[in-house]
Amino acid sequence: MAREAGVSITTVSKALNGYSDVKPETKKRIQQIAQRLNYMPDANARSLGGKARKNLAYLVSGLAKQDESGFVYGMLSGMYQASLDHQFDFIILTTNAAKQGELSYIQLCRQKNIDGVLVSGLNINEPYYRELMNSEIPCVVMEGEYKSKNVCGLSIDNARAAYDVTHYLIGMGHKKIALMNGKSTATVSQRRLKGYLQAMAEAGLETGEAWVENGEFDEDEAYRATFRLLDNCLGVTAIFCSSDLMAIGVLRALKERGLKVPEDISVIGFDDIPVARYINGGLTTVAQDPYEMGRIGGEILYHMITEKKEYGHVYVPYQFVKRNTVKVYYPANRTVNT
Amino acid sequence: MAREAGVSITTVSKALNGYSDVKPETKKRIQQIAQRLNYMPDANARSLGGKARKNLAYLVSGLAKQDESGFVYGMLSGMYQASLDHQFDFIILTTNAAKQGELSYIQLCRQKNIDGVLVSGLNINEPYYRELMNSEIPCVVMEGEYKSKNVCGLSIDNARAAYDVTHYLIGMGHKKIALMNGKSTATVSQRRLKGYLQAMAEAGLETGEAWVENGEFDEDEAYRATFRLLDNCLGVTAIFCSSDLMAIGVLRALKERGLKVPEDISVIGFDDIPVARYINGGLTTVAQDPYEMGRIGGEILYHMITEKKEYGHVYVPYQFVKRNTVKVYYPANRTVNT
DNA sequence: TTGAAAGCGCTAACAC
DNA sequence: GTGTTAGCGCTTTCAA
């Protein structure tokens, strides 16, 4: 390339990087030759040489074959967009508990020269969960509740959302409300449980171990857990599910027991995944916007990296979407007397 | 790191790369120190130095905020898995017609040091479409029908699938069958059109311009196109849609016209996206497995890169999933006579 | 079994 | 304006 143009390597570098100390003519000539030869500076060498682009990584624990909720994809595309907007490079990294034993979080980042990471799917019992805290590289935990110098969490206000939903159900006359929660090791589940319990307590309603099952965010697991709920919580009139996927499992179990939704029992989901609007004539649920979350996460990371800003937990908006799986509950005796 | 261990940089490199010409004790010592210091060789420097990992790239034209069909995500995770299996690095690259004017395909690859690419979403009118042909870097075109020395296509046999569907509809007694196709510039659409036309011709059934609409793979566009179909093709009893998403739009339009599915008119989709099973009691459709496609694509690329193998078009299996949107069609006079 | 030296393709600091 | 030199962090050759 330099030979072809009859100039030094340095001049080529300057010309292509838009420095001012190169004669316009030579600059133009170099650019043309580069175009003709399809020459492009090697990113690795540039990085080593000093002109490094910043690297963002999306670190997913347990990447699945299918993304039924569209959450991973949505966040991914949002993050990607943010990277593009700020001229950052973007890579995906996956991990799981086993891998985390072999390669430390810091090593992983150093190896790939990562300047900032967005993590998701990390449970509190995985090795990286603790490593993150002491890391000096900026990180935002998607749907997590972290807080340290270089780490912040990003999520909707899960406790409040769960409170809203429960409160709404109570307002509709329901008193026996069960919670089909996710995983006990997931932060979001802990927060939603809190919101649910608070609303129930404020209304003076009964709750307890029996009224809360963990469906592991899995359709089939939720399906099975529903029968336990039905057997242990006599007279339950509403089930609040911590994910739409679990709501699907719950609905299936309910149908098998001959219970009609919403006539006999009300169901609310969480996430508003694409199928939600088609389930049971429309599933009432809490909508999150994964694309926005990803984009905002990337944006925050940008500020953490370039301005060394620190963040507390960042909340993003959610929306309560009322469709057709909730009905006002009239106590039996009232109905009879009418 | 080298200083800490009291050896030369060279020795550290050898120890960490598992070379045999380093004393077991020193090797062990170096490894321990590396672990303690969380040392990891910089991937960029390694790459420059000669020890380069191969890079696979997933090049998507027009990455969307949401992946309603789950196709992009599925392929992505399959490709990622294949990369992992073969110790390749994996990155995502997006492009669009505008970007393609600025940076050539080869430049893009050179810059990122890419050894093999998987492309998807590229239409035949985009600049890269032609550039690909002459490229010396291995490439597999997802859902495309390429063929050159270093490029191959990967897809289901779209013509055959469309033929199957149409033939099935004909076997069910339908004679007035319309096709809601995708984009005229998409290879898959061209193939499906071919299969549809062939089945119709073999059965001696009427077809023509009016019987084929392009819904641009878009729900709303398909919705609008349905009315044209209904108005121009009097007595149509079945609509075969080139994507489930478009089938949703079609169903919506049909409902507005007061047509019941499958009683009044039959509908078949394509893809078997997650919502398909919930639509209209279950949408009859052709199932593709994006994860498998991605994985196989990565696998092929691996062989192209490491063994310089050449491939013709590669076909992957599909499955015709019969659910509840097709009904046998009895000609009016027969029904009357019963 | 170890280390010194060269070089990967670039950018940066400084001299010409 | 342009070129020379050094150095980024590694791997590889080759000599010790």
Side-chain angles (χ1 to χ4, degrees):
Chain A
M1 169 66 212
R3 189 163 71 251
E4 183 84 12
V7 293
S8 77
I9 297 178
T10 310
T11 311
V12 172
S13 174
K14 285 175 178 167
L16 263 30
N17 282 302
Y19 280 57
S20 54
D21 59 348
V22 47
K23 201 188 338 177
E25 305 159 36
T26 20
K27 185 181 208 168
K28 182 158 271 179
R29 189 160 50 85
I30 291 176
Q31 286 173 333
Q32 282 171 347
I33 298 182
Q35 196 63 41
R36 183 162 56 76
L37 263 48
N38 270 317
Y39 169 82
M40 259 286 123
D42 178 287
N44 284 318
R46 282 191 112 186
S47 173
L48 255 196
K51 200 126 195 159
R53 286 186 70 161
K54 299 285 185 190
N55 277 296
L56 287 201
Y58 176 28
L59 176 62
V60 194
S61 180
L63 188 79
K65 287 188 187 186
Q66 236 199 313
D67 177 28
E68 305 182 73
S69 68
F71 237 78
V72 175
Y73 179 89
M75 293 198 295
L76 180 73
S77 61
M79 293 168 186
Y80 192 85
Q81 187 56 52
S83 309
L84 245 39
D85 290 345
H86 295 295
Q87 327 251 48
F88 281 15
D89 276 341
F90 181 79
I91 62 172
I92 304 178
L93 261 22
T94 64
T95 186
N96 53 45
K99 278 197 202 170
Q100 289 172 31
E102 294 176 359
L103 191 67
S104 79
Y105 173 73
I106 317 287
Q107 285 176 324
L108 183 66
C109 294
R110 286 230 244 272
Q111 182 184 41
K112 305 280 189 187
N113 246 293
I114 288 164
D115 301 291
V117 6
L118 295 136
V119 318
S120 85
L122 201 63
N123 284 117
I124 58 182
N125 52 344
E126 292 182 63
Y128 283 6
Y129 191 87
R130 277 198 284 133
E131 280 193 60
L132 241 47
M133 293 300 278
N134 314 315
S135 167
E136 72 281 6
I137 105 157
C139 172
V140 2
V141 184
M142 309 300 291
E143 300 195 89
E145 302 240 340
Y146 263 91
K147 184 67 210 100
S148 84
K149 190 171 174 314
N150 301 294
V151 187
C152 80
L154 175 75
S155 71
I156 62 166
D157 188 337
N158 281 291
R160 205 156 93 69
Y163 177 91
D164 287 353
V165 167
T166 313
H167 192 257
Y168 167 74
L169 248 13
I170 293 170
M172 296 288 270
H174 293 273
K175 298 195 184 325
K176 308 218 165 182
I177 304 167
L179 172 65
M180 177 63 71
N181 210 355
K183 276 183 161 70
S184 58
T185 53
T187 317
V188 293
S189 297
Q190 298 171 348
R191 308 297 298 169
R192 289 176 197 168
L193 173 62
K194 190 185 158 198
Y196 158 80
L197 289 176
Q198 190 186 335
M200 293 298 277
E202 283 183 9
L205 295 175
E206 180 194 352
T207 186
E209 297 252 322
W211 294 84
V212 180
E213 284 283 348
N214 273 323
E216 305 296 322
F217 290 120
D218 180 77
E219 183 182 328
D220 293 327
E221 191 55 41
Y223 165 81
R224 288 189 288 272
T226 306
F227 295 111
R228 295 201 292 274
L229 226 42
L230 256 19
D231 294 338
N232 300 332
C233 313
L234 265 27
V236 54
T237 66
I239 303 179
F240 169 30
C241 308
S242 209
S243 82
D244 292 345
L245 232 43
M246 292 195 293
I248 293 174
V250 167
L251 253 12
R252 185 152 51 89
L254 257 24
K255 194 176 180 185
E256 278 187 25
R257 277 284 174 100
L259 263 15
K260 282 210 156 48
V261 175
E263 292 77 7
D264 301 325
I265 187 166
S266 292
V267 173
I268 293 186
F270 213 109
D271 292 342
D272 193 27
I273 65 178
V275 300
R277 53 168 15 95
Y278 299 101
I279 299 168
N280 210 95
L283 177 68
T284 291
T285 189
V286 176
Q288 305 196 59
D289 185 344
Y291 174 85
E292 260 321 285
M293 292 180 69
R295 208 188 49 74
I296 292 172
E299 214 62 36
I300 290 173
L301 213 42
Y302 167 75
H303 289 111
M304 291 175 92
I305 294 171
T306 57
E307 305 156 15
K308 292 196 182 305
K309 259 198 184 170
E310 280 189 39
Y311 286 85
H313 186 89
V314 178
Y315 289 103
V316 292
Y318 60 88
Q319 222 183 331
F320 190 13
V321 183
K322 290 162 190 161
R323 288 200 271 244
N324 307 307
T325 50
V326 175
K327 212 179 123 266
V328 176
Y329 173 70
Y330 298 107
N333 55 346
R334 255 234 260 160
T335 313
V336 168
N337 293 342
T338 308
Chain B
M1 166 69 211
R3 187 162 73 251
E4 183 84 10
V7 293
S8 76
I9 297 177
T10 311
T11 311
V12 172
S13 173
K14 285 175 176 167
L16 263 30
N17 282 301
Y19 280 56
S20 53
D21 60 348
V22 46
K23 207 196 320 185
E25 305 159 34
T26 20
K27 184 184 209 164
K28 181 158 274 177
R29 189 161 48 83
I30 291 176
Q31 287 172 334
Q32 283 169 347
I33 298 182
Q35 195 65 40
R36 182 162 57 74
L37 264 50
N38 269 318
Y39 170 81
M40 259 287 124
D42 177 286
N44 283 319
R46 278 190 116 189
S47 172
L48 253 197
K51 201 125 193 161
R53 284 185 71 158
K54 298 284 186 190
N55 278 296
L56 288 200
Y58 176 27
L59 177 61
V60 194
S61 180
L63 189 78
K65 287 189 188 186
Q66 235 199 316
D67 178 27
E68 305 182 74
S69 68
F71 237 78
V72 175
Y73 179 90
M75 294 198 295
L76 181 73
S77 62
M79 293 169 186
Y80 191 85
Q81 187 56 52
S83 309
L84 246 39
D85 290 346
H86 295 297
Q87 328 247 48
F88 281 15
D89 277 340
F90 181 79
I91 62 173
I92 304 178
L93 260 25
T94 64
T95 185
N96 54 45
K99 279 197 202 172
Q100 290 173 31
E102 294 176 0
L103 192 67
S104 81
Y105 173 72
I106 317 287
Q107 285 176 325
L108 183 64
C109 294
R110 285 230 245 273
Q111 182 182 42
K112 304 279 187 187
N113 247 293
I114 288 163
D115 301 291
V117 7
L118 295 135
V119 320
S120 85
L122 200 64
N123 284 118
I124 58 181
N125 51 343
E126 292 182 63
Y128 283 6
Y129 191 87
R130 278 198 284 133
E131 279 193 60
L132 241 48
M133 294 300 278
N134 313 315
S135 166
E136 73 280 7
I137 107 156
C139 171
V140 0
V141 183
M142 309 301 289
E143 301 194 271
E145 302 237 342
Y146 262 90
K147 185 68 207 100
S148 84
K149 192 172 175 310
N150 301 294
V151 187
C152 81
L154 174 75
S155 70
I156 63 166
D157 187 335
N158 282 291
R160 205 158 92 68
Y163 178 91
D164 287 355
V165 167
T166 313
H167 191 257
Y168 166 76
L169 247 15
I170 293 169
M172 296 290 268
H174 293 273
K175 297 195 185 324
K176 306 214 165 183
I177 305 168
L179 172 65
M180 178 62 72
N181 211 358
K183 276 182 160 69
S184 59
T185 53
T187 317
V188 293
S189 295
Q190 298 170 348
R191 308 299 296 168
R192 289 176 197 166
L193 174 62
K194 189 185 159 196
Y196 158 81
L197 289 175
Q198 190 185 337
M200 293 298 277
E202 282 182 10
L205 294 175
E206 180 195 352
T207 186
E209 296 252 322
W211 295 83
V212 179
E213 284 284 347
N214 274 322
E216 304 297 321
F217 292 120
D218 180 77
E219 184 182 327
D220 292 327
E221 190 55 41
Y223 164 81
R224 287 188 289 271
T226 306
F227 296 112
R228 293 201 293 272
L229 226 42
L230 256 19
D231 294 338
N232 300 332
C233 313
L234 265 26
V236 55
T237 66
I239 303 179
F240 169 29
C241 308
S242 208
S243 83
D244 291 346
L245 232 44
M246 291 195 294
I248 293 175
V250 169
L251 253 12
R252 185 152 50 89
L254 258 22
K255 195 175 180 186
E256 279 187 23
R257 278 284 174 100
L259 264 15
K260 281 210 156 50
V261 175
E263 292 77 6
D264 301 326
I265 187 166
S266 292
V267 172
I268 293 186
F270 213 109
D271 293 341
D272 194 25
I273 65 179
V275 300
R277 55 169 13 96
Y278 299 101
I279 299 167
N280 210 94
L283 177 68
T284 290
T285 189
V286 177
Q288 303 197 61
D289 185 343
Y291 175 86
E292 259 320 286
M293 291 180 71
R295 208 189 49 75
I296 292 172
E299 213 62 38
I300 290 172
L301 212 42
Y302 167 75
H303 289 111
M304 290 174 92
I305 294 171
T306 58
E307 305 156 14
K308 292 197 181 304
K309 258 197 184 172
E310 282 188 36
Y311 286 84
H313 187 89
V314 178
Y315 288 102
V316 292
Y318 60 88
Q319 224 184 331
F320 191 13
V321 183
K322 290 162 190 159
R323 287 198 274 244
N324 308 308
T325 49
V326 174
K327 211 177 124 266
V328 175
Y329 173 71
Y330 298 108
N333 56 346
R334 254 234 258 159
T335 313
V336 169
N337 294 341
T338 309

